Amino acid sequence: MPHVSVTIAGRQYRMACDEGQEEHLIRLAHDIDSRISQLRTAFGEIGDQRLVVMAAITIADELAEARSRIRALESDIESQRDARASAIARIEASEEEVARTIDAVAERIEQLVSHLAPKERGTVGMG
């Protein structure tokens, strides 16, 4: 299992991670370090532990908000799927109705042709 060294709030930490996740872990540590630096700039030296807790709460809040947005998006997607399925059902029903109408019109045309055809033959044969 690979190990990486990261610096957070001026302290070095050696951490294990899955193979191929080294750069990701370094980026996450850098993000946490940046947040702590921003909080230190905003609030001054209020203690490392307090700054770390504030950074963790900030990250947890962003995560909760992201999860909420994901749930809303998933709900929207499900609504769109339902609307799509309903629209497809309406289209299929319309297509079936059009097909039935075309069949009925074709049958009616065939009936008219069959009624006209014997009369035309009789007229042609008499002349």
Side-chain angles (χ1 to χ4, degrees):
M1 179 171 273
H3 287 80
V4 294
S5 291
V6 296
T7 303
I8 298 175
R11 292 191 177 150
Q12 285 268 342
Y13 298 92
R14 183 166 166 80
M15 307 190 78
C17 62
D18 290 333
E19 187 72 38
Q21 293 297 309
E22 298 90 349
E23 289 300 317
H24 181 65
L25 179 57
I26 291 169
R27 281 191 303 273
L28 292 174
H30 180 72
D31 182 46
I32 292 170
D33 187 54
S34 294
R35 289 169 186 265
I36 291 170
S37 293
Q38 290 169 356
L39 290 168
R40 182 173 279 125
T41 300
F43 297 103
E45 288 296 331
I46 58 173
D48 286 345
Q49 187 173 5
R50 192 176 216 181
L51 289 169
V52 170
V53 168
M54 290 172 68
I57 289 172
T58 301
I59 292 167
D61 181 51
E62 289 174 5
L63 178 60
E65 186 177 319
R67 285 179 176 160
S68 177
R69 284 193 309 248
I70 288 169
R71 281 191 298 275
L73 290 171
E74 288 172 340
S75 178
D76 287 349
I77 288 169
E78 190 60 34
S79 294
Q80 289 177 7
R81 282 185 185 143
D82 292 345
R84 181 177 178 258
S86 178
I88 288 171
R90 286 193 309 271
I91 289 169
E92 288 172 350
S94 294
E95 287 174 347
E96 289 173 7
E97 181 62 29
V98 167
R100 282 192 295 274
T101 301
I102 290 171
D103 287 344
V105 168
E107 187 177 318
R108 181 67 179 140
I109 290 171
E110 288 174 4
Q111 289 172 354
L112 290 172
V113 168
S114 68
H115 282 67
L116 292 175
K119 292 178 184 176
E120 288 179 6
R121 283 189 208 126
T123 310
V124 172
M126 300 189 108

